[in-house]
Amino acid sequence: MTLEQKIRMALAYKKISQFSLARMIGLSPSNFNQRLKRESFSIGELEQIAKALGAKFDFDFEFEDGTRV
């Protein structure tokens, strides 16, 4: 699943519009949309998105055997 898909699913789950989320994290809706399509958010921005959605951002690597780093 792509980052864009994950963010869109989180928005649907929380019933928050992309426009509202963009404003909540201090981006213009058009800038947010462009960055979403390019999947070009920094780790800090992903943490802000998670906080705005009342979620936890957990960036890690998960290997085929289930090992996470």
Side-chain angles (χ1 to χ4, degrees):
M1 182 179 309
T2 68
L3 179 61
E4 179 182 2
Q5 290 170 323
K6 288 181 181 185
I7 292 173
R8 290 190 186 279
M9 287 178 66
L11 287 168
Y13 178 77
K14 291 300 284 189
K15 297 181 176 114
I16 295 175
S17 70
Q18 185 176 311
F19 179 92
S20 296
L21 178 60
R23 293 293 186 200
M24 292 166 75
I25 65 168
L27 294 176
S28 71
S30 63
N31 187 3
F32 182 88
N33 187 53
Q34 290 170 358
R35 295 175 80 179
L36 182 61
K37 296 238 180 262
R38 290 190 317 254
E39 297 186 0
S40 62
F41 293 106
S42 69
I43 299 298
E45 289 167 330
L46 292 170
E47 289 171 342
Q48 282 183 305
I49 289 169
K51 185 177 179 181
L53 294 172
K56 178 183 158 194
F57 175 71
D58 185 18
F59 180 82
D60 58 10
F61 296 97
E62 185 172 348
F63 296 92
E64 292 176 11
D65 66 358
T67 302
R68 297 179 112 181
V69 177

